[in-house]
Amino acid sequence: SIFTLIKTISTQQNMQGVDAEMETFYTYTQVEGISMPSSIEVKEGSNTAYKMTFDELKINEELSDDLFEKPSN
């Protein structure tokens, strides 16, 4: 696997409604020859706002039609 780290900086309103500089870090890995993000971390200053890490990445996985049926409730 090949890992690539990408960082973006943007200004967004935080939960208090104040403009804050946000840094987003993307870690990419190769899956079947395609670069896909394996983790995404957003920081406000030194605090991590949130982090998502994907345990498994699949491409063109066969899915059952049952997954797309409207729930009975």
Side-chain angles (χ1 to χ4, degrees), residues 10-25:
S10 61
T11 302
Q12 301 174 10
Q13 283 191 346
N14 63 17
M15 292 180 69
Q16 292 78 29
V18 177
D19 284 346
E21 186 174 275
M22 307 294 275
E23 296 178 315
T24 306
F25 298 87

Side-chain angles (χ1 to χ4, degrees), residues 6-69:
I6 297 175
K7 173 183 170 183
T8 62
I9 299 174
S10 61
T11 302
Q12 301 174 10
Q13 283 191 346
N14 63 17
M15 292 180 69
Q16 292 78 29
V18 177
D19 284 346
E21 186 174 275
M22 307 294 275
E23 296 178 315
T24 306
F25 298 87
Y26 302 90
T27 304
Y28 282 79
T29 188
Q30 292 277 319
V31 178
E32 297 182 31
I34 299 171
S35 292
M36 298 183 71
S38 56
S39 71
I40 302 168
E41 181 175 7
V42 176
K43 294 184 142 202
E44 181 182 346
S46 61
N47 298 320
T48 297
Y50 66 87
K51 182 175 183 175
M52 293 185 292
T53 301
F54 304 100
D55 296 326
E56 188 174 22
L57 300 167
K58 295 181 179 181
I59 297 174
N60 293 330
E61 177 84 2
E62 293 237 4
L63 301 174
S64 169
D65 289 339
D66 297 345
L67 292 171
F68 301 96
E69 290 182 10

